[in-house]
Amino acid sequence: MTERNWAGNLEYGAARVARPASVDELAEVVAAAAHDGTRVRALGSRHSFNRIADTEGVLVETAGLPARVELDPDARTVRVSAGIRYGELAEAIDREGWALANLASLPHISVGGAVATGTHGSGDGLGSLATAVAALSLVTADGSMRTLRRGDADFDGAVVALGALGVVTSLELDVLPTYDVAQRVFERLPLDAVLADLDAVTGLATSTSLFTTWRDPDVIDQLWLKQRTDASSITPFRPDASSIRRSPPFETPGRAKIDGSTLAQAAASGITPAAPALLEEMGVRAATVKRHPLPDVSAEHCTDQLGVPGRWFDRLPHFKLGFTPSNGDELQSEFLVPRAHAADAIEAVRALAPRIAPLLQVCEIRTVAADALWLSSSYGTPAVGVHFTWLPDAPAVEALLPALQAALAPFDARPHWGKLFDVASAVADGRMSRVYPRLADFAALRDRLDPNRVFGNDLLERLGL
């Protein structure tokens, strides 16, 4: 049987797929492969769009490892098996009164794979999913187990590790008391108003997402606001003045003149229920029915909107767990830039709108807080991600990527490790070392834990890893 990824755009090249039912069995698979000089890669929910998880050797599925959800209320952590999906984990810990700080747009992805590739949700004050990791355990190249905890010398290099250090079997994640979230959607934001004070717009709620198809390069089609309903969550982002870009007043047909300070006034009230009303007063339409991020697509499987509060795991993702989303109908790319460069980077993308729009389903702009994880796309800086959900036309998308990456290169864009990007463009002129200043440290850590490259593959080698 042919093994493919979630989207169906890749056929894995592995000689075989192992499905160990225990950690001991996994350790035996790894040790035997290492003895034979065979490479091993871990496989989670198969949600990567490039060959980051592929190998010509043995693919090891983590979904069959014993399911584990072990809460420690005193430590405020939960220990979970790497193959568990976020949606399943969320439901389990919520029943006990606990929650995670953030989730990605899809709850269907595995914890181990999402952490290893630096996958994220959105929120000015919220880090990537990997920032919740307090400890992880992995099977290393000789089949032995190793556990790393926050504060250990190698920890920051081992969390977002691209599967290059071993097969992660379990993780301990930070938890917090459960909470509710209300979600609202607003439509047709003038892009110039957004770029005039991007910090104000993204600060309107706990989590924000801006969607555009780039068919009209002057408009953000939808703004999704996900707001925690508890008062303790009101912690507006306060950027350094150097990161704020403001534009002169401008006019759009049928609207009053707006300048950058108007949006700043909206955010200055804090991320409160008043923020959507202020957007509405600016002439931005509040959606009166549920919306899907893609135009003219049923919102049946989207999480509930219209300001109705619901549990955190029923609002932070864009899609419901019970729905199997668009399997095989899309490709994805994402590039994350330091927040200080975000407005200029979005302008660079807008300049390519005539080339992007014919290949695009939707583009989503999200924010991620800074962290200290060496290979994280928000290492050392708050970041803004520009995400592209493409039509399933791989040759055309791959032909466009070099131009897109060239346009974003001046802004130190970091590609999402698990999505489509042009590798030659990513490594040109030493860019990898420039945008990932701890890259050499990670390579040294990998050399210590896997000197024979048991967990290597062709893509990692092309990236200099």
Side-chain angles (χ1 to χ4, degrees):
M1 176 180 175
T2 299
E3 300 282 349
R4 292 187 172 274
N5 64 339
W6 174 84
N9 66 302
L10 294 178
E11 180 179 331
Y12 293 122
R16 71 185 183 97
V17 178
R19 296 178 172 87
S22 70
V23 174
D24 287 344
E25 187 180 337
L26 167 62
E28 292 173 2
V29 170
V30 172
H35 180 269
D36 296 339
T38 301
R39 286 177 163 181
V40 178
R41 296 293 289 169
L43 197 59
S45 54
R46 307 187 182 207
H47 199 261
S48 292
F49 293 80
N50 60 26
R51 295 197 177 274
I52 194 71
D54 199 13
T55 179
E56 76 286 355
V58 180
L59 281 175
V60 177
E61 285 201 336
T62 59
L65 295 175
R68 162 180 270 164
V69 179
E70 299 170 358
L71 278 161
D72 184 340
D74 293 333
R76 290 200 168 198
T77 60
V78 59
R79 189 178 185 189
V80 305
S81 45
I84 195 170
R85 297 188 301 171
Y86 272 98
E88 296 159 347
L89 168 61
E91 290 178 338
I93 63 174
D94 185 75
R95 286 194 293 268
E96 303 299 323
W98 296 95
L100 302 174
N102 204 2
L103 291 170
S105 60
L106 288 174
H108 310 74
I109 56 177
S110 69
V111 174
V115 166
T117 55
T119 296
H120 58 91
S122 188
D124 290 350
L126 301 174
S128 74
L129 302 182
T131 60
V133 176
L136 57 83
S137 297
L138 68 161
V139 174
T140 58
D142 61 1
S144 64
M145 287 292 297
R146 178 163 182 171
T147 296
L148 293 165
R149 298 188 176 279
R150 188 181 286 143
D152 290 350
D154 295 331
F155 178 81
D156 286 343
V159 180
V160 180
L162 315 181
L165 305 181
V167 179
V168 174
T169 59
S170 66
L171 307 96
E172 292 178 22
L173 307 178
D174 297 327
V175 296
L176 63 157
T178 192
Y179 56 91
D180 285 351
V181 172
Q183 179 173 214
R184 299 171 187 261
V185 175
F186 291 81
E187 300 177 294
R188 305 281 305 169
L189 283 78
L191 180 56
D192 287 338
V194 172
L195 297 183
D197 198 340
L198 184 62
D199 295 321
V201 176
T202 63
L204 288 174
T206 308
S207 173
T208 62
S209 291
L210 298 103
F211 292 97
T212 179
T213 62
W214 292 114
R215 295 172 192 168
D216 183 340
D218 297 324
V219 170
I220 293 293
D221 299 312
Q222 298 179 24
L223 168 67
W224 288 36
L225 301 179
K226 301 170 188 276
Q227 170 61 29
R228 282 183 58 166
T229 60
D230 55 307
S232 64
S233 70
I234 299 176
T235 54
F237 177 72
R238 300 299 184 206
D240 180 82
S242 63
S243 72
I244 299 176
R245 166 184 165 173
R246 299 186 184 278
S247 298
F250 66 94
E251 295 184 20
T252 52
R255 290 193 176 92
K257 183 180 290 187
I258 303 172
D259 64 25
S261 63
T262 307
L263 291 175
Q265 291 166 7
S269 65
I271 32 183
T272 69
L278 289 171
L279 281 170
E280 207 163 0
E281 289 171 9
M282 288 164 41
V284 177
R285 276 201 316 266
T288 56
V289 296
K290 274 180 66 174
R291 294 297 189 200
H292 191 285
L294 304 183
D296 304 319
V297 174
S298 169
E300 175 186 1
H301 299 300
C302 294
T303 50
D304 288 344
Q305 303 163 13
L306 303 176
V308 179
R311 297 314 258 179
W312 57 282
F313 61 88
D314 277 333
R315 296 295 184 274
L316 288 176
H318 298 334
F319 300 98
K320 298 176 181 178
L321 178 62
F323 162 58
T324 302
S326 55
N327 198 354
D329 292 337
E330 65 190 55
L331 302 172
Q332 294 182 14
S333 300
E334 185 176 35
F335 302 93
L336 294 100
V337 299
R339 189 171 187 118
H341 302 323
D344 290 325
I346 294 167
E347 285 281 25
V349 173
R350 172 157 62 171
L352 290 173
R355 297 181 62 185
I356 292 172
L359 300 176
L360 188 69
Q361 297 194 51
V362 74
C363 175
E364 180 180 6
I365 298 168
R366 295 179 288 178
T367 62
V368 191
D371 62 56
L373 306 176
W374 296 353
L375 294 190
S376 167
S377 52
S378 50
Y379 172 81
T381 178
V384 174
V386 185
H387 185 279
F388 302 87
T389 300
W390 306 105
L391 294 168
D393 184 348
V397 170
E398 290 168 0
L400 174 63
L401 286 175
L404 178 57
Q405 290 173 231
L408 292 173
F411 312 110
D412 292 337
R414 297 165 171 170
H416 188 295
W417 295 111
K419 300 182 188 289
L420 292 178
F421 60 93
D422 182 67
V423 176
S425 300
V427 302
D429 303 320
R431 284 177 189 158
M432 290 295 292
S433 296
R434 185 176 71 250
V435 300
Y436 289 102
R438 301 298 298 271
L439 193 68
D441 295 323
F442 178 81
L445 174 61
R446 187 271 324 279
D447 288 345
R448 283 193 285 115
L449 294 186
D450 185 20
N452 296 320
R453 306 293 191 271
V454 173
F455 300 109
N457 71 1
D458 178 67
L459 179 55
L460 291 177
E461 289 176 356
R462 293 172 65 200
L463 291 169
L465 295 170

